[in-house]
Amino acid sequence: MTSKEQGANKAEGLSERGIYRIDIPANRHDLLCPEGIIRALSIYRGKETPTIYNVVKPLNGEIIKLTVKPETKSIRPYVVAAVIRNIVFTEDAYNSFIDLQEKLHNNICRKRTLVAIGTHDLDTLKPPFTYEALKPEEIVFRPLNQNLEMNGAQLIEFYKTDARLGKFLHIIESSPVFPVVLDSARTVCSLPPIINGDHSKISLSTRNVFIECTATDITKARTVLNTVVTMFSQYSSTKFGVEPVLVVQSDGLETLYPDLSSRKMETTVDFINKSIGVNLNAEQVVGYLKKMGLESSINYSKILVEVPPTRSDILHECDVMEDVAIAFGFNNIPKTTPKSITVAKPNPINKLSDIVRKELALAGFSEVLPLILCSEKENFEFLRKENKGEAVRLANPKTIEYEVVRTSLLPGVLKTIQCNKHLSLPLKVFEVSDVVFKDDSIARRARNQRNMCAMYCSKVSGFEHIHGVLDRVLAMLSVPLVSQGTEDGYYIKESSNPTFFPGRSADVYYENKVVGSFGIVHPVVLKKFDIGFPCSAVEINIEPFL
């Protein structure tokens, strides 16, 4: 794998041992770290029983308090916290601990807009703690891994050019007050959701970890806290034991976090069998649920299921049924003849899309699946296109990253190249998916269009590769290349598309109508997407070829 991604010279002397890549569902936050994957596999294989997590009282009997000030309601109103005592970090465990936080920030935390995690060396701080909202000038501390103290306003200016933290500044920078977590000595623990203080940073020698999660969504905050403490409490001296923190709200309400109790759910064998299409008895259902880490028991005609705090994805009995199906094995579910008398056939546009995908894959391109939403700048300005009001715009976008439904596949493919530019060249990727345009002539006032986009990125532009793959795809669709002005095939004609380099772009015509374009991507476009290598791309509408 190293040879493929980084070059043969980087692979010299490395182990030939196989490496597995595991696709993790977006809702399985407990599988975002090796600890969770190993635990789940051990339980599935019967080497371990489902884990029981406990909230343990501190040895001195004094529970740490975290008091919330009323001013926080205006910016980031919720906070939850916990303590893991006597933890022993190895280098791998420490790296996994940091990595899990980053993955949660990008996943359930929605890039820190919903939740921000702060982890601290408790031995460097003096409880009790307070969660406040202060003016930026009143918050003075030394940020993580920095040598100089700065106040909140200076910190915002300092990190505006930072590629990693700059993208989070918009969450609080326009607010007159910033959220801050302080200890009893007024030492700044963190300035959420931007950065922690250097004073309390954790290291391999840290033994007691204080974890706080500030949030705009209390449910997400509880889920994130539970995920972190359940994954890493295994390194504590009281294995899977977590010390609670008493959070005192501004209205005097006191809540003890974390809540590691199991949730009770009920289902029936009949529901599971009908939903999956199998014939299991109650004992078999219980056995499969235990393989998935769910303690369960039989109560007459019902199955009683205990959902552990790690499984926030289980919300309904259909989720329980899905776990039974996974444990049983999707490939083991017997195939049956449908009871209806209709004859199914592929949707024509989807069948055509699969043909195109196959040809692109055979040409050595890898398929990517970017998000269908993007920012207005990415969709127009970054591509040097004029916004003519053709894009469907979200009425209440939560972030500037998801303002419009894309009208081109290029922004997503370019962002994919940008995120994978550390891999060995050339990068050859493609996407066959929908773009959306406003259309007042139909009832829903918007229409989907199935496009194909392929991109080649290397030390040279690779224009010939893109031209070749376009010809190959259309040849396999039995569309002949014809001379300009002829209707019974396709031809190309030089164009001045601003997305591409002048004199190095062309429009694709089919039946004398423009169906797409290709060329060498303009350097200004590449700079906007932070890509340092030349790229060539093609994007065409494939619906006319049905």
Side-chain angles (χ1 to χ4, degrees):
M1 183 177 292
T2 303
S3 177
K4 180 180 178 182
E5 294 185 349
Q6 301 180 26
N9 58 326
K10 297 285 187 179
E12 292 181 6
L14 297 181
S15 171
E16 295 292 331
R17 187 177 180 181
I19 297 175
Y20 294 94
R21 283 192 171 183
I22 304 173
D23 291 327
I24 305 299
N27 60 350
R28 286 300 302 269
H29 312 120
D30 58 311
L31 300 181
L32 291 176
C33 60
E35 289 77 7
I37 294 173
I38 292 169
R39 199 176 304 165
L41 285 174
S42 298
I43 294 171
Y44 184 85
R45 298 178 63 194
K47 292 188 174 183
E48 293 182 14
T49 57
T51 307
I52 298 175
Y53 304 95
N54 298 300
V55 174
V56 294
K57 292 185 177 180
L59 294 177
N60 60 7
E62 294 183 10
I63 297 176
I64 292 174
K65 285 187 178 182
L66 173 55
T67 304
V68 181
K69 299 296 184 179
E71 296 80 14
T72 58
K73 288 183 178 180
S74 64
I75 183 166
R76 207 171 181 87
Y78 305 111
V79 64
V80 297
V83 173
I84 302 179
R85 292 278 186 185
N86 301 316
I87 195 169
V88 178
F89 280 126
T90 62
E91 187 172 353
D92 287 340
Y94 176 83
N95 291 335
S96 178
F97 184 62
I98 301 300
D99 189 49
L100 175 63
Q101 294 175 57
E102 287 301 310
K103 288 177 178 176
L104 289 171
H105 278 147
N106 289 322
N107 186 301
I108 185 175
C109 300
R110 296 294 186 270
K111 297 187 177 180
R112 307 192 189 186
T113 56
L114 298 182
V115 186
I117 310 165
T119 53
H120 313 278
D121 187 335
L122 183 60
D123 295 330
T124 65
L125 300 170
K126 296 179 181 179
F129 300 94
T130 57
Y131 176 48
E132 306 179 20
L134 303 175
K135 293 180 180 180
E137 295 76 14
E138 297 175 358
I139 304 171
V140 181
F141 71 111
R142 186 155 51 95
L144 186 66
N145 298 326
Q146 297 298 327
N147 297 320
L148 298 176
E149 281 193 347
M150 56 187 80
N151 63 34
Q154 293 169 333
L155 182 142
I156 294 294
E157 289 299 319
F158 181 79
Y159 284 109
K160 275 187 177 179
T161 57
D162 188 280
R164 192 176 73 87
L165 296 177
K167 57 189 175 184
F168 306 122
L169 300 179
H170 70 93
I171 302 173
I172 63 168
E173 66 177 330
S174 60
S175 173
V177 292
F178 289 177
V180 60
V181 178
L182 304 163
D183 72 355
S184 60
R186 306 297 290 176
T187 301
V188 173
C189 304
S190 67
L191 179 70
I194 310 302
I195 197 167
N196 294 338
D198 191 72
H199 177 84
S200 59
K201 70 178 179 182
I202 64 171
S203 63
L204 286 172
S205 60
T206 297
R207 291 295 171 263
N208 299 303
V209 179
F210 173 63
I211 304 164
E212 41 87 5
C213 301
T214 59
T216 57
D217 185 322
I218 188 62
T219 302
K220 295 289 192 297
R222 290 168 178 162
T223 300
V224 169
L225 181 67
N226 286 352
T227 300
V228 175
V229 299
T230 53
M231 292 302 102
F232 289 92
S233 56
Q234 73 177 58
Y235 299 116
S236 169
S237 60
T238 55
K239 195 171 183 179
F240 302 120
V242 181
E243 183 179 314
V245 171
L246 185 66
V247 176
V248 183
Q249 301 294 341
S250 57
D251 59 2
L253 179 66
E254 297 183 350
T255 310
L256 208 61
Y257 293 106
D259 180 6
L260 300 181
S261 59
S262 298
R263 293 178 286 117
K264 312 291 183 182
M265 293 188 71
E266 291 183 358
T267 188
T268 63
V269 175
D270 185 56
F271 170 77
I272 289 173
N273 284 333
K274 283 185 176 179
S275 300
I276 301 174
V278 293
N279 187 23
L280 303 175
N281 58 42
E283 288 76 14
Q284 288 175 309
V285 171
V286 168
Y288 286 127
L289 288 173
K290 287 185 177 180
K291 290 180 72 173
M292 298 299 292
L294 304 178
E295 283 286 4
S296 52
S297 58
I298 304 169
N299 184 16
Y300 300 104
S301 62
K302 295 183 177 181
I303 304 293
L304 305 181
V305 183
E306 293 188 18
V307 183
T310 53
R311 295 299 303 275
S312 60
D313 59 301
I314 297 181
L315 305 173
H316 187 272
E317 66 174 327
C318 64
D319 298 314
V320 177
M321 174 273 294
E322 183 185 21
D323 267 20
V324 174
I326 293 170
F328 181 80
F330 289 125
N331 293 335
N332 297 324
I333 299 173
K335 296 180 180 179
T336 58
T337 304
K339 295 180 181 179
S340 61
I341 60 173
T342 58
V343 178
K345 66 176 182 178
N347 185 307
I349 188 63
N350 290 337
K351 184 176 181 180
L352 175 63
S353 299
D354 288 340
I355 294 172
V356 173
R357 289 188 181 102
K358 181 179 178 181
E359 291 307 319
L360 288 166
L362 290 173
F365 286 72
S366 300
E367 186 174 12
V368 298
L369 295 170
L371 297 175
I372 197 170
L373 298 179
C374 62
S375 72
E376 194 167 353
K377 281 189 174 182
E378 290 171 344
N379 198 62
F380 296 106
E381 182 183 323
F382 283 16
L383 298 181
R384 305 179 73 232
K385 286 184 177 180
E386 181 184 352
N387 185 355
K388 298 179 180 179
E390 60 188 356
V392 176
R393 186 179 180 85
L394 274 65
N396 56 340
K398 297 300 181 184
T399 70
I400 59 172
E401 293 179 306
Y402 309 118
E403 293 177 311
V404 297
V405 184
R406 63 186 179 183
T407 59
S408 169
L409 300 182
L410 277 172
V413 174
L414 284 163
K415 285 196 288 186
T416 302
I417 293 288
Q418 190 273 328
C419 292
N420 292 277
K421 59 187 179 182
H422 62 283
L423 300 180
S424 59
L425 299 175
L427 296 177
K428 302 195 293 183
V429 297
F430 77 91
E431 182 183 10
V432 181
S433 193
D434 282 0
V435 294
V436 179
F437 297 92
K438 284 183 181 178
D439 190 343
D440 292 330
S441 65
I442 55 179
R444 62 177 181 270
R445 300 180 64 191
R447 61 178 172 85
N448 285 33
Q449 177 179 294
R450 187 63 54 88
N451 278 16
M452 175 208 84
C453 180
M455 184 168 290
Y456 181 95
C457 177
S458 187
K459 294 180 180 179
V460 293
S461 64
F463 180 82
E464 67 279 7
H465 291 274
I466 288 300
H467 193 171
V469 81
L470 170 66
D471 289 343
R472 173 64 180 174
V473 168
L474 294 182
M476 295 308 295
L477 295 179
S478 300
V479 181
L481 176 63
V482 297
S483 58
Q484 290 187 15
T486 308
E487 289 193 358
D488 56 350
Y490 83 97
Y491 60 88
I492 61 174
K493 185 177 179 181
E494 185 177 348
S495 68
S496 55
N497 191 320
T499 302
F500 300 112
F501 198 82
R504 294 293 184 272
S505 66
D507 287 335
V508 182
Y509 287 77
Y510 176 64
E511 296 182 345
N512 281 336
K513 295 180 180 178
V514 176
V515 295
S517 58
F518 70 101
I520 300 174
V521 182
H522 199 287
V524 173
V525 176
L526 295 177
K527 185 177 180 180
K528 291 286 187 182
F529 286 93
D530 193 24
I531 299 173
F533 297 100
C535 298
S536 291
V538 58
E539 181 172 8
I540 62 171
N541 172 15
I542 64 172
E543 291 184 0
F545 304 107
L546 277 174

